[in-house]
């Protein structure tokens, strides 16, 4: 079962055993077997997964904030319903992922504590502001589109609970993508003011979205090990390229331009070559100096505090009404 | 193993496993888990978390009530199934002309 903590522990075993176990573990991965919570796994595999899954969960939670901004100002009831459902999905994705992380022996309260204290990271894209309604469309199209390209391979990753959570998540993300593109299409075909608004939004989001795939392969410290363990199945750069290739045609279909003068089709590779990414900006945002880092954390603290009475009330009720 | 602790302000809520039946007549399958203080809230949270796009029935089971076989014992535990070929229809021969 997902929930039952692993029982294997490396203590008391000789290093000979350890080497054998590790070898057997790598073989299982090589043959495409899934690793389940109670199976033996190297401590490093466990800690890397905890880091990845919890970071992913935190991103879903903080990812609600930029969009939350526009729920009360959605232009129609149809748009409001769609946006509410989408934000609720993000919250649900956070839940699935925290549960997947817990199967590795961590406690969700501790993970939340790490986010509150600023020790844990979340996707840096959510540190950018949502300045216009068009941003809601562009987030659905580009941010969720990039997330889908990043996450679809994770549904096949070697850790069972993570892969199952990702299958669930990817199914729901496809609605997010479509609702976003519908907004973008509507604005792009609208008045000149609307068209200008959506183009301005694309211009602001394009480069930060390309950064979502993480540092270039040459700079990515964890990639090699994660790929060997099939936690990660494709390199950052190859996923980024796949995203660029797809986006060019989509932008063209709604007559929007992508803000990159160096964007050019490469006959030889069949890819769209693109300009260089400003990695200084990326690291600045990661280190906490993005436009909204402080706002996001302040709101998270506030909401955590405001929700405390709900958790306490639920406990008080449960203690008076024991199960069965 | 990472030590499980709870912070001063947050008390621990029990873990529940969620099983959903997608359509009537289909089996309940495991869809995930969640924390909730009691069965009623576990069921409500299960609906909000795991049945936002439909289900016909949900089960929530306290995780600690589940007894599972262990991976270490798996080979021996399931061993007896391996050599019993006579449990499969392919083991038996009947005249070619007969359709069963």
């Amino acid at each position: 079962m997902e929930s039952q903590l692993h029982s294997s522990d490396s203590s008391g075993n000789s290093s000979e055993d350890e080497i054998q176990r590790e070898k057997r573990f790598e073989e299982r991965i090589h043959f495409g077997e899934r690793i389940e919570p109670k199976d033996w796994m190297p401590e490093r595999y466990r800690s890397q997964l905890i880091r990845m899954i919890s970071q992913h969960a935190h991103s879903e939670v903080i990812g609600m904030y930029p969009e939350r901004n526009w729920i009360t100002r959605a232009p129609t009831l149809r748009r409001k319903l769609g946006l509410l459902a989408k934000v609720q999905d993000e919250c649900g994705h956070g839940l699935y992922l925290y549960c997947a992380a817990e199967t590795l022996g961590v406690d969700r309260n501790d993970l939340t504590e790490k986010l509150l204290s600023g020790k844990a990271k979340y996707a840096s894209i959510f540190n950018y502001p949502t300045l216009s309604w068009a941003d809601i469309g562009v987030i659905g199209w580009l941010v969720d589109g990039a997330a889908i390209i990043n996450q679809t391979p994770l549904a096949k990753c070697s850790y069972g609970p993570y892969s199952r959570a990702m299958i669930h998540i990817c199914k729901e993300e496809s609605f997010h993508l479509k609702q976003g593109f519908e907004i973008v299409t509507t604005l792009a075909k609208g008045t000149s003011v609307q068209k200008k608004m959506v183009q301005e939004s694309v211009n602001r989001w394009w480069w930060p979205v390309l950064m979502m795939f993480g540092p270039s392969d040459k700079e990515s410290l964890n990639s090699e090990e994660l790929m060997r363990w099939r936690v990660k199945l494709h390199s950052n750069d190859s996923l980024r390229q796949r995203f660029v290739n797809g986006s060019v045609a989509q932008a063209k279909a709604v007559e929007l331009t992508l803000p990159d003068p160096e964007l050019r089709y490469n006959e030889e590779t069949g890819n769209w070559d693109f300009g260089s990414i400003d990695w200084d900006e990326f690291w600045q945002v990661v280190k906490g100096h993005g436009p909204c880092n402080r706002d996001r954390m302040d709101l998270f603290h506030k909401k955590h505090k405001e929700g405390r009475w709900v958790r306490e009330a639920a406990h008080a009720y449960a203690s008076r009404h024991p199960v069965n | 193993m990472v030590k499980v602790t709870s912070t001063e302000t947050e008390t621990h809520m029990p873990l529940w496993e969620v099983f959903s039946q997608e359509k009537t007549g289909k089996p309940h399958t495991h869809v995930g888990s969640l924390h909730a203080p009691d069965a009623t809230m576990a069921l409500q949270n299960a609906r909000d978390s795991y049945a936002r796009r439909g289900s016909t029935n949900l089960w929530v089971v306290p995780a600690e009530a589940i007894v599972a076989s262990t991976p270490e014992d798996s080979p021996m535990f399931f061993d007896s199934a391996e050599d019993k070929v006579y449990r499969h229809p392919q083991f038996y021969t009947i005249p070619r002309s007969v359709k069963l």
Side-chain angles (χ1 to χ4, degrees):
Chain A
M1 291 314 307
E2 311 272 72
S3 59
Q4 293 177 346
L5 300 183
H6 64 290
S7 54
S8 46
D9 191 330
S10 53
S11 63
N13 288 300
S14 68
S15 57
E16 190 68 19
D17 276 0
E18 196 73 357
I19 292 163
Q20 280 304 316
R21 280 175 147 181
E22 193 138 1
K23 204 180 146 208
R24 168 85 190 103
F25 175 84
E26 303 245 342
E27 270 169 18
R28 290 188 63 194
I29 302 243
H30 181 75
F31 288 112
E33 274 186 49
R34 297 296 162 90
I35 307 301
E36 293 297 335
K38 289 168 78 185
D39 296 350
W40 184 87
M41 61 186 84
E43 277 310 309
R44 175 93 180 139
Y45 178 83
R46 183 187 303 282
S47 61
Q48 284 282 39
L49 273 168
I50 292 171
R51 183 187 61 82
M52 265 182 81
I53 301 173
S54 60
Q55 200 168 307
H56 193 166
H58 298 328
S59 303
E60 298 284 357
V61 171
I62 302 295
M64 290 190 281
Y65 293 169
E67 293 177 297
R68 158 190 189 277
N69 216 8
W70 284 91
I71 292 174
T72 55
R73 289 176 284 168
T76 66
L77 189 56
R78 178 186 152 90
R79 292 284 185 240
K80 187 184 288 216
L81 285 171
L83 184 55
L84 267 172
K86 177 177 191 282
V87 172
Q88 196 185 13
D89 277 350
E90 314 288 5
C91 182
H93 296 174
L95 278 174
Y96 311 154
L97 290 162
Y98 283 124
C99 286
E102 283 195 322
T103 65
L104 292 157
V106 281
D107 183 71
R108 180 169 163 186
N109 290 339
D110 291 342
L111 299 177
T112 305
E113 208 57 47
K114 279 196 182 122
L115 183 57
L116 284 165
S117 70
K119 270 185 225 151
K121 297 264 180 265
Y122 54 87
S124 58
I125 190 76
F126 301 122
N127 290 315
Y128 289 86
T130 40
L131 303 176
S132 72
W133 168 252
D135 287 3
I136 298 304
V138 171
I139 287 177
W141 171 31
L142 296 178
V143 176
D144 290 303
I148 289 172
I149 287 183
N150 257 333
Q151 292 171 1
T152 308
L154 288 174
K156 290 184 190 152
C157 80
S158 64
Y159 188 57
Y162 195 23
S163 93
R164 288 191 286 275
M166 290 317 302
I167 290 170
H168 211 130
I169 290 175
C170 287
K171 263 190 215 161
E172 298 182 338
E173 290 286 350
S174 61
F175 136 65
H176 301 178
L177 177 64
K178 254 185 114 176
Q179 71 92 36
F181 204 69
E182 190 188 279
I183 295 171
V184 168
T185 309
T186 307
L187 295 173
K189 287 183 180 161
T191 63
S192 62
V193 179
Q194 286 174 316
K195 176 147 193 185
K196 208 175 147 195
M197 177 168 76
V198 69
Q199 181 63 60
E200 186 274 335
S201 172
V202 171
N203 294 350
R204 262 185 300 116
W205 287 94
W206 176 250
W207 290 104
V209 166
L210 290 190
M211 297 174 199
M212 282 176 70
F213 296 91
S216 165
D217 296 340
K218 288 162 270 168
E219 315 271 328
S220 183
L221 301 169
N222 296 308
S223 276
E224 197 264 333
E225 184 180 62
L226 294 176
M227 286 179 78
R228 184 162 52 91
W229 280 334
R230 294 183 63 80
V231 171
K232 200 169 163 176
L233 299 167
H234 305 283
S235 74
N236 294 351
D237 286 333
S238 68
L239 292 172
R240 188 168 13 243
Q241 185 66 61
R242 193 181 299 173
F243 174 78
V244 172
N245 291 351
S247 301
V248 170
Q250 291 157 7
K252 201 175 162 211
V254 287
E255 292 173 21
L256 290 169
T257 53
L258 300 173
D260 180 359
E262 292 175 57
L263 202 60
R264 225 161 255 118
Y265 187 71
N266 185 327
E267 293 279 351
E268 232 168 84
T269 59
N271 288 323
W272 284 84
D273 293 339
F274 51 96
S276 48
I277 292 167
D278 181 0
W279 292 111
D280 285 344
E281 178 182 324
F282 174 76
W283 291 115
Q284 279 302 309
V285 180
V286 169
K287 284 174 189 153
H289 310 302
C292 298
N293 296 57
R294 187 173 295 179
D295 282 2
R296 303 295 183 234
M297 285 321 292
D298 286 352
L299 188 60
F300 184 62
H301 275 266
K302 185 166 171 269
K303 291 293 158 196
H304 189 70
K305 214 168 134 193
E306 284 173 359
R308 183 168 296 158
W309 74 268
V310 178
R311 296 187 289 273
E312 283 170 0
H315 267 293
Y317 181 85
S319 63
R320 279 179 225 162
H321 302 81
V323 182
N324 300 322
Chain B
M1 176 162 156
V2 184
K3 204 174 152 228
V4 176
T5 55
S6 73
T7 61
E8 272 175 73
T9 48
E10 301 291 331
T11 29
H12 219 80
M13 292 190 196
L15 190 64
W16 303 76
E17 296 297 341
V18 184
F19 298 82
S20 168
Q21 185 190 38
E22 303 279 300
K23 283 181 192 156
T24 52
K26 297 277 179 193
H28 285 69
T29 48
H30 183 248
V31 288
S33 47
L34 53 83
H35 289 278
D38 63 21
T40 313
M41 285 202 69
L43 206 50
Q44 281 174 0
N45 292 351
R47 180 205 54 198
D48 293 344
S49 298
Y50 295 104
R52 282 197 302 282
R53 287 169 181 79
S55 169
T56 51
N57 192 249
L58 282 174
W59 292 346
V60 288
V61 182
E64 57 177 32
I66 292 169
V67 181
S69 61
T70 63
E72 290 80 15
D73 296 340
S74 283
M76 261 213 298
F77 194 69
F78 298 109
D79 194 29
S80 62
E82 294 284 314
D83 56 358
K84 293 184 174 58
V85 282
Y86 50 86
R87 283 183 172 162
H88 298 280
Q90 298 90 319
F91 182 74
Y92 301 92
T93 324
I94 56 155
R96 272 176 191 275
S97 56
V98 177
K99 252 190 171 177
L100 279 186

